[in-house]
Amino acid sequence: MFRFARRRLSTSALFVLVAFTGWSAARPAAAQGLLINIHPAQHVRLPRPTVHPTPMPQASYKIRALDVQVKLQEQIARVQVSQSFVNTGSAPLEVCFVFPLPYDGAIDQLTLLVDGKEFPARLLPKDEARQTYEAIVRKNRDPALLEWLGTGMFQTSVFPVPPGAERKVTLRYSQLCRKDHGLTDFLFPLSTAKYTSHAIEQMNIQVAIETKGDLKNVYSPTHAIELKRDAHHATVSFQAANQVPQSDFRLLYDAESGKLGASVLSYRPQAGDDGYFLLLTTPAIERAAERPKKTVVFVVDRSGSMSGQKIEQAKGALKFVLNNLREGDLFNIIAYDNAVESFRPELQRFDDASRQAALGFIEGVYAGGSTNIDGALAAALAQLRDSSRPSYVLFMTDGLPTAGEVNEMKIVGNSQTHNQVRARVVTFGVGYDVNSRLLDKLARQNFGQSEYVRPDENIEERVSRLYQKIEAPVMTDVAIRFALDALPAEAGEPVNRTYPRQITDLFEGDQLVLVGRYKKPGTAKVTITGSVGGKQQSFDFPAELVAESKDESFGFVEKLWAVRRVGEIIDEIDLQGRNDELVKELVELSTRHGIMTPYTSFLADENVSLRALSLNTDRAKENLSQLDETSGYGAFYQRRMKNSLQRERVANNGRLPALPAPAATEAKAMAGGARQAGRALPGLAAAGAAGPRSEAEASMEEAVETVRNVGAKSFYRRGGQWVDSTVTEAQQKNAQRVRQFSDDYFKLANRHGRKLSQYLVFDEPLLVELDGTAYLIEPGE
């Protein structure tokens, strides 16, 4: 089965298992690099992070660096993976490099190098590979190894890794990517990099896309990617340091002709239940001459609290926006404290002369005085009179309204009265002293969005990044409609609860990500209308809303909808007041999908019953009183967290980890910011020399210990076992008991394949629902 070095070692013989990406008709192949003990006399478990203590491996290693370079041309991916392993133990390791194949055999031209030396590899057929996996699992008594059950396998010869030594393994292969609903689907497995005794020190993923047709949508449902693109090329990058990946990297893209491209993915777990859809829409990259003209008014706070670095960064942001306006754009600059001053009494046409004059005005902006938010907004909005062109107000403040009108509701009402042209108001709250609820209301009631800048963040960088996204509107006043062929008009709208709730414009190089639910499946027509170059235009696209999904390939669509919905519920409660039905729905979604927020983090408490909906709703209602805070550290981060839920993807980038607790790392950032600022959140508890620690942070850290999301399911630790959130009380009473590592255990895993094996990673008892039946997987003897 395996070849071993002849020399006996005092430590265990190990081999490295590397799996890489690819797709079967329904699911991806498994993983990449890790060490597994196969010494006949010793058991060494995978060195994965564990929630509760389990035997640690006698030999250990870490992944120092992971570098992934990908070139995608149409459906062909050429991939090079370099992974540096370090033997952190005190004895030498004899290792063998092994990796599973994709189920569909879509890998070819495979090359494997260790420290630059090419190693031959032998292909193990699928059945032989399965027997190999089972033997390893039975010997090491490690359920996590079943993640790779059922794949074919390549195997190389043995090579040594001395204590403290590093080995760089490079893998090159070509892969045929899956294509579904017009989207090319590339997946690179990262989740098994969690099987390392330390976080990965450096992780870098670079993907270069090249298409013959016009490149439209480029979207990652798993990671917050950086994207640079033109009509036929895109460069996608993701970088992280000292991170333990929890989900695989996935990238979707399409290429088609026309001014607008749209793709729809749908997911319906069971027939009769609601389905979920994801719509991606991207306009074509236009020539500069075809871009519509716009109006931009920059409103900057120059009150006394902005003095020092903040005012200099704000002036830098002003200059960036000014230098990126285009010929034909209109603009103005308004600086305010207790008084309001405009660069010019009316809008100016952008040209070199007006740009130079505006730069001079910016240099003369100094901080001092109080904060007249109402007067500044009134002055900016009063200048906007042309509704035929898109208008944007970039509004910045670092404090509370202290001059002029100071009543929150009246300021919002006045802004709506003055906004006669549907101007998009984008608010920037700088620091913790802003009235964050006021800024959210201003943005929501004026077709924009709110952004929050921590004291340690660069204002210029944040404003510049957002302006780069909105500088070139291609279609304005956008409306999207679904029409289902089999659904009569009197049956109502075929889709509901779509997010974002308010859609205004599509921008060059950016894309709209719309999620929603549907009750009736079938063939649909998606119609997108809007103004392009001042003329109303309409685009139609076909969509298939599936009756029942065959697998969980698009299960992330439901998760993405749930995260957005939770963000919308919190927003509605924040701006409109608490509502019993909304709080109940918040608890239900948080429970089912493992979405932890400061208001539902009590679900992580092992003593809390997941089925006590009424009691849990009351707890959430009480916790939601934190939203009564309108300013200060806690208020700032609650709004920032809420906005990230409303806008972020299902990401595993340290902010929204694979949909388990989207606010977990935000809470950690909150606590870190609190320590730096010497402030506290509501209910802040002292943490000794480490500085203050918020209740939100503590609850999120607890969630990491007792809440896990694996695949499409969420699990909670209850009574010494991990419980699938979807298991009913009746199912639990009638659960089929299966002993870990028994013949029945492997039969069950083989029968259901990846659909089940991905969940068999727990060391403690596991209660999981599968196809209507609950199974209680109990530890082996």
Side-chain angles (χ1 to χ4, degrees), residues 17 19-20 27-32 34 36 46 48 100-101 103 133-134 137 142-152 189-195 245-248 708-711 745-746 749 753-762:
L17 171 65
F20 47 75
R27 54 191 184 265
Q32 26 142 18
L34 64 153
I36 302 174
L46 292 182
R48 63 188 183 277
L101 285 176
Y103 295 88
Y133 282 130
E134 284 195 17
V137 174
D142 193 339
L145 296 173
L146 280 176
E147 264 189 279
W148 304 281
L149 194 65
T151 66
L190 279 175
S191 60
T192 52
K194 64 192 174 191
Y195 299 119
Q246 296 296 317
S247 71
D248 298 331
R708 289 190 188 178
N709 281 253
V710 182
Y745 178 75
F746 287 104
R754 176 71 174 171
K755 188 174 182 179
L756 174 63
S757 64
Q758 63 183 322
Y759 303 128
L760 301 180
V761 297
F762 295 91

Side-chain angles (χ1 to χ4, degrees), residues 57-303:
Q58 298 177 23
S60 62
Y61 72 96
K62 68 177 179 180
I63 302 173
R64 175 160 290 166
L66 173 63
D67 186 74
V68 183
Q69 302 291 328
V70 184
K71 185 168 185 179
L72 289 171
Q73 292 178 301
E74 306 310 318
Q75 284 183 256
I76 304 299
R78 292 178 175 81
V79 183
Q80 175 171 300
V81 184
S82 294
Q83 203 166 356
S84 296
F85 296 92
V86 179
N87 180 358
T88 56
S90 58
L93 305 176
E94 291 290 319
V95 299
C96 177
F97 204 76
V98 178
F99 50 89
L101 285 176
Y103 295 88
D104 57 5
I107 299 295
D108 63 6
Q109 298 180 15
L110 185 141
T111 304
L112 181 67
L113 300 98
V114 179
D115 288 345
K117 179 182 177 181
E118 186 169 341
F119 272 64
R122 183 173 72 89
L123 174 63
L124 299 182
K126 181 177 179 180
D127 289 343
E128 185 179 347
R130 181 181 56 79
Q131 294 171 6
T132 300
Y133 282 130
E134 284 195 17
I136 297 168
V137 174
R138 289 179 191 273
K139 182 204 152 315
N140 285 286
R141 320 293 285 178
D142 193 339
L145 296 173
L146 280 176
E147 264 189 279
W148 304 281
L149 194 65
T151 66
M153 181 186 291
F154 267 106
Q155 171 196 338
T156 72
S157 56
V158 173
F159 56 90
V161 184
E166 180 174 342
R167 289 288 182 266
K168 183 177 182 179
V169 179
T170 301
L171 189 67
R172 297 180 186 141
Y173 61 89
S174 297
Q175 170 193 340
L176 178 65
C177 295
R178 178 185 181 182
K179 193 168 186 177
D180 201 343
H181 293 75
L183 287 163
T184 298
D185 195 342
F186 171 75
L187 180 126
F188 181 79
L190 279 175
S191 60
T192 52
K194 64 192 174 191
Y195 299 119
T196 172
S197 58
H198 299 73
I200 298 176
E201 293 182 13
Q202 292 293 331
M203 181 165 54
N204 175 55
I205 300 175
Q206 299 283 334
V207 183
I209 302 173
E210 181 179 331
T211 61
K212 293 179 181 177
D214 293 336
L215 182 62
K216 291 297 195 306
N217 298 295
V218 181
Y219 179 72
S220 171
T222 57
H223 289 71
I225 58 175
E226 294 292 331
L227 177 64
K228 297 179 180 178
R229 56 176 297 167
D230 59 29
H232 299 282
H233 304 84
T235 301
V236 174
S237 60
F238 174 78
Q239 294 181 329
N242 298 313
Q243 189 177 105
V244 178
Q246 296 296 317
S247 71
D248 298 331
F249 177 85
R250 195 168 180 184
L251 187 68
L252 309 169
Y253 73 94
D254 61 3
E256 57 185 86
S257 59
K259 285 185 173 291
L260 199 66
S263 294
V264 176
L265 299 177
S266 59
Y267 176 71
R268 200 182 197 199
Q270 294 182 348
D273 291 346
D274 280 352
Y276 304 87
F277 72 87
L278 164 68
L279 168 68
L280 301 173
T281 305
T282 302
I285 303 294
E286 303 285 356
R287 295 190 302 273
E290 298 174 349
R291 291 168 176 150
K293 312 308 179 188
K294 63 183 180 298
T295 300
V296 178
V297 179
F298 199 110
V299 186
V300 60
D301 187 343
R302 65 177 183 189
S303 61

